[in-house]
Amino acid sequence: MKNQKVFPGIILIGFGVYFYLQQSNMEVFKEFYTWPTLLMIVGLAFLGQGYWAKEYEAILPGVILVGFGLHFHVVNKLAIWPDHIGTFILIIALGFLLRYQKTGNGLFQGILFLLLAVLLLFYDKVISWFGLLENKVNIAWQLWPILLIIIGIYMIFIKKK
């Protein structure tokens, strides 16, 4: 990190406010005295480092940590919020796409994770769209992790720039 002031500054401010509110036992913020809040503080520090210090690679971990923290805060409070692995993959996709917006790299990963998240979150609807092809789609659904492994091996060992 080039500009070392932003990240630790936000961490210190965030943790200071967190622990002050916790010690003062303010009932209004009682449900925020949990570890997801700490995840969000660290994520906000990464986002601050990414956007304010123009170190755009910090955007991805920032979005992931804020997104995961937000997820754990609202998953049991909002009925429309999905409690599904696809939610985590969608948050990661958002991180890649926001980083791509500033750096110009990560678009492939962002789109790949976005497609995977949509497939996982809306699996029942996707299957109903295929109708008569359900048996063939079911076989493909069982084999897609192997396809991911093959693509990963290709990208690591075979593809050379």
Side-chain angles (χ1 to χ4, degrees):
M1 293 184 195
K2 299 175 217 165
N3 188 347
Q4 295 286 331
K5 297 177 186 177
V6 176
F7 184 80
I10 294 174
I11 291 281
L12 290 172
I13 292 168
F15 279 21
V17 168
Y18 174 85
F19 290 119
Y20 175 76
L21 291 174
Q22 189 177 33
Q23 286 180 345
S24 63
N25 284 327
M26 296 182 82
E27 291 294 320
V28 176
F29 300 109
K30 187 177 180 180
E31 59 189 46
F32 293 106
Y33 303 145
T34 58
W35 61 271
T37 302
L38 296 175
L39 276 181
M40 291 178 69
I41 292 169
V42 174
L44 288 171
F46 273 110
L47 287 173
Q49 186 70 27
Y51 285 106
W52 288 343
K54 295 185 180 9
E55 293 183 19
Y56 301 124
E57 293 299 322
I59 293 172
L60 178 63
V63 170
I64 290 172
L65 290 172
V66 169
F68 284 15
L70 181 67
H71 169 77
F72 288 117
H73 271 298
V74 301
V75 70
N76 294 320
K77 292 175 183 63
L78 292 176
I80 63 168
W81 193 270
D83 187 14
H84 193 277
I85 189 70
T87 308
F88 295 108
I89 295 173
L90 183 63
I91 292 168
I92 294 169
L94 179 63
F96 274 111
L97 293 173
L98 287 174
R99 187 185 73 173
Y100 168 75
Q101 182 184 22
K102 291 293 186 179
T103 64
N105 61 19
L107 180 63
F108 174 74
Q109 294 91 339
I111 291 174
L112 182 68
F113 279 115
L114 184 61
L115 291 174
L116 182 60
V118 168
L119 182 65
L120 289 172
L121 287 170
F122 301 107
Y123 174 72
D124 295 333
K125 291 187 184 204
V126 170
I127 290 300
S128 69
W129 291 338
F130 287 109
L132 297 175
L133 301 176
E134 187 170 343
N135 291 335
K136 294 178 183 177
V137 172
N138 195 19
I139 293 170
W141 179 251
Q142 292 173 353
L143 297 177
W144 72 267
I146 295 171
L147 180 64
L148 292 178
I149 293 168
I150 291 169
I151 292 171
I153 290 171
Y154 172 78
M155 291 181 76
I156 292 173
F157 296 111
I158 298 172
K159 185 177 180 183
K160 303 287 182 186
K161 285 191 173 187

